[in-house]
Amino acid sequence: MANILLITTQNLTTNPRLQKEFLKLRQDHAVQVIAFSDLGWSDTLETERGAKEQWVSLVRYIPASRASGWPFVYATMISKLAGLMDRVGLAGIRMKAWASNKRAVLLWRSLRKYRPKDFDLVLVHTLGALYPAWRWLQGTPVPWVFDVEDFHPGEAMPEDGGFEKKRRITLMRELLPGASHVHFASPLIGEAVKGLPVSLKSSSVLNNCFSRHEFVPPDKELTGRIKLVWFSQNIDGGRGLEEVIKAIAPLQDEVELHLIGNLVQDFEREWIAPNRKFIHTHLPMPQEKLHRSLMNYDVGLAMELSTADENRNLCLTNKIFAYLQSGLYILATDTQAQKRFMDEHARHGVVCGQSVEALSSAMAELVKDKTRIRSGKDERYKLADDVCWENECGKLSELIERWTNQARHA
């Protein structure tokens, strides 16, 4: 049994990849987590899930809000000062990390209370955690893994003359070579990171799929309008929903759209309220409940926009794997990553363009194929059985076994 530490600048609810690792690894190892609290809508779900899964005693939460008082003020001041230093060319790697994410300052203060030698392995999630973990583990023999869930230099970010993008590239180029292993959330993210360029000791793709036990086989026949579903942490603009709503509106007697997540008020006022005839919204729900609920729908929408930012073109999100594993028919926009994914799973859905016109044509085809889509659900569910976290996590288990054996013989 290994002693393992997981680190994130989010919490387990907003960092599903870390949550999946935690729940799997705790079955065979002693696992602790350093995470953040006071993150808004997710706090209630975090508390409920933590009590149910009995993880509260295993997670140390760092307050992230103004309510924490001086630590928040201190981190904010340091981050702003570091940003100014970076703009005038006086920031080293530490200041670049502080400027990029003020939670990195808070995390570093917390990590200093721990001893690296108390752990056999450290798993690091989110870019804000990269520098604190690297610095804390520097000079120790403890192996550590960094999880590249997104292509961080290609994410949407504030307009600041390109300083933040340059910071992110520098952080990844200089710090990732220190990691014992790097995981990528999609093949194309891996290609983009290696193309920065950056030299890695070892790397592999760790797909965003889930435990097969979180999904239930279809056990009822759906009737009425064809039912589309989309979920995310927030129901908001800029995610392709505007185009979807426009495309569905002429077919509203044949299609209903279900959106699951925290509904942003401005988006509700502009897009949801005028279209309540065919749109249903649902509050955020725990991951397992969400996955079980997917059996109530026909089609899962993977509406990534390659025009939004470079990362959206390269990523494979949690939702596309959830749709696949639940047996839903998938309608995916034609980002580079999703086209490759759907080519590999051609029986599970189709790809369409990102314009309203392309989506309208695709929606009309879904309506026409409703009977076929519904009748194929059970077959799709069975076909996806091998796409599961149990298989993906085996990659991590192999690394742990290898490093544990090396430590024993050192």
Side-chain angles (χ1 to χ4, degrees):
M1 181 174 72
N3 292 314
I4 300 174
L5 178 66
L6 285 80
I7 304 173
T8 179
T9 50
Q10 299 177 337
N11 60 20
L12 282 78
T13 299
T14 58
N15 199 165
R17 280 171 71 85
L18 179 139
Q19 181 183 143
K20 288 182 288 188
E21 285 184 351
F22 170 68
L23 293 176
K24 181 64 177 176
L25 293 175
R26 67 180 291 197
Q27 297 174 10
D28 302 306
H29 304 283
V31 182
Q32 297 181 54
V33 183
I34 298 178
F36 280 73
S37 62
D38 304 325
L39 301 183
W41 65 268
S42 65
D43 289 344
T44 300
L45 293 180
E46 184 85 356
T47 301
E48 292 175 352
R49 186 78 188 273
K52 177 184 176 183
E53 299 285 352
Q54 298 181 333
W55 75 38
V56 175
S57 62
L58 302 177
V59 184
R60 175 188 174 90
Y61 288 104
I62 303 170
S65 71
R66 296 177 183 273
S68 64
W70 171 245
F72 177 87
V73 174
Y74 173 79
T76 301
M77 292 172 57
I78 292 294
S79 183
K80 289 184 176 180
L81 177 61
L84 292 173
M85 293 176 64
D86 191 32
R87 285 176 176 271
V88 296
L90 297 177
I93 193 67
R94 177 174 61 174
M95 288 296 105
K96 289 180 184 295
W98 293 169
S100 181
N101 192 328
K102 66 183 174 186
R103 288 184 196 169
V105 181
L106 298 171
L107 179 57
W108 169 239
R109 287 165 57 92
S110 181
L111 275 175
R112 292 168 64 188
K113 301 172 185 177
Y114 293 81
R115 299 184 304 177
K117 67 179 183 179
D118 290 337
F119 302 97
D120 300 305
L121 172 66
V122 178
L123 302 176
V124 186
H125 288 253
T126 66
L127 186 62
L130 177 57
Y131 174 78
W134 172 84
R135 184 178 176 190
W136 179 61
L137 292 163
Q138 215 174 10
T140 76
V142 180
W144 61 285
V145 178
F146 185 73
D147 187 85
V148 186
E149 183 168 353
D150 293 290
F151 182 58
H152 303 295
E155 292 178 298
M157 59 192 78
E159 290 292 337
D160 64 351
F163 284 97
E164 177 57 20
K165 181 174 182 175
K166 292 175 183 176
R167 282 193 286 264
R168 295 183 183 191
I169 292 173
T170 300
L171 288 168
M172 296 179 78
R173 278 179 176 166
E174 294 195 18
L175 305 183
L176 287 184
S180 307
H181 189 83
V182 175
H183 279 141
F184 305 116
S186 82
L188 290 177
I189 287 176
E191 292 175 18
V193 171
K194 292 175 183 178
L196 284 175
V198 59
S199 177
L200 304 176
K201 294 176 182 174
S202 176
S203 65
S204 61
V205 174
L206 197 68
N207 286 310
N208 265 325
C209 49
F210 300 90
S211 170
R212 58 164 58 96
H213 302 299
E214 295 185 16
F215 301 89
V216 294
D219 65 353
K220 64 180 182 180
E221 185 175 342
L222 300 180
T223 59
R225 294 183 292 179
I226 191 166
K227 297 170 175 59
L228 281 55
V229 64
W230 179 94
F231 67 86
S232 191
Q233 293 181 7
N234 294 296
I235 303 171
D236 199 1
R239 303 294 303 278
L241 291 178
E242 299 94 333
E243 290 81 1
V244 167
I245 293 170
K246 290 178 183 178
I248 293 177
L251 300 167
Q252 57 187 271
D253 292 334
E254 302 288 344
V255 180
E256 59 185 57
L257 174 63
H258 292 258
L259 305 175
I260 304 171
N262 176 53
L263 182 56
V264 175
Q265 289 185 352
D266 288 345
F267 190 78
E268 177 183 24
R269 183 167 50 251
E270 184 176 357
W271 291 98
I272 305 300
N275 297 294
R276 280 291 180 185
K277 181 178 178 181
F278 64 92
I279 298 179
H280 305 268
T281 57
H282 308 267
L283 293 173
M285 59 186 75
Q287 179 176 297
E288 289 187 6
K289 181 179 179 181
L290 169 65
H291 290 165
R292 288 194 300 271
S293 76
L294 293 178
M295 65 176 293
N296 298 313
Y297 308 104
D298 298 304
V299 178
L301 300 178
M303 297 291 105
E304 301 306 319
L305 300 178
S306 56
T307 55
D309 59 55
E310 184 181 4
N311 179 59
R312 304 323 297 178
N313 193 43
L314 304 176
C315 72
L316 289 174
T317 61
N318 295 316
K319 63 171 67 67
I320 199 168
F321 281 98
Y323 300 152
L324 184 84
Q325 290 182 257
S326 65
L328 292 185
Y329 194 78
I330 301 170
L331 178 62
T333 47
D334 59 351
T335 64
Q336 191 177 352
Q338 291 192 155
K339 283 194 293 184
R340 182 185 293 190
F341 182 85
M342 294 307 297
D343 284 343
E344 295 169 355
H345 302 92
R347 298 172 69 178
H348 292 263
V350 294
V351 171
C352 71
Q354 301 172 32
S355 67
V356 174
E357 293 75 18
L359 285 164
S360 296
S361 177
M363 295 295 173
E365 289 299 314
L366 293 179
V367 172
K368 187 187 305 181
D369 290 345
K370 179 172 67 174
T371 301
R372 180 182 64 85
I373 288 170
R374 285 177 171 170
S375 65
K377 192 171 187 178
D378 186 61
E379 180 185 5
R380 291 193 298 270
Y381 176 82
K382 293 175 181 176
L383 280 173
D385 186 62
D386 287 339
V387 182
C388 62
W389 184 246
E390 286 80 3
N391 290 343
E392 288 299 303
C393 205
K395 302 173 185 176
L396 185 56
S397 297
E398 290 175 4
L399 291 174
I400 294 172
E401 184 177 357
R402 185 210 309 168
W403 288 326
T404 302
N405 288 336
Q406 289 175 352
R408 289 196 189 107
H409 295 92

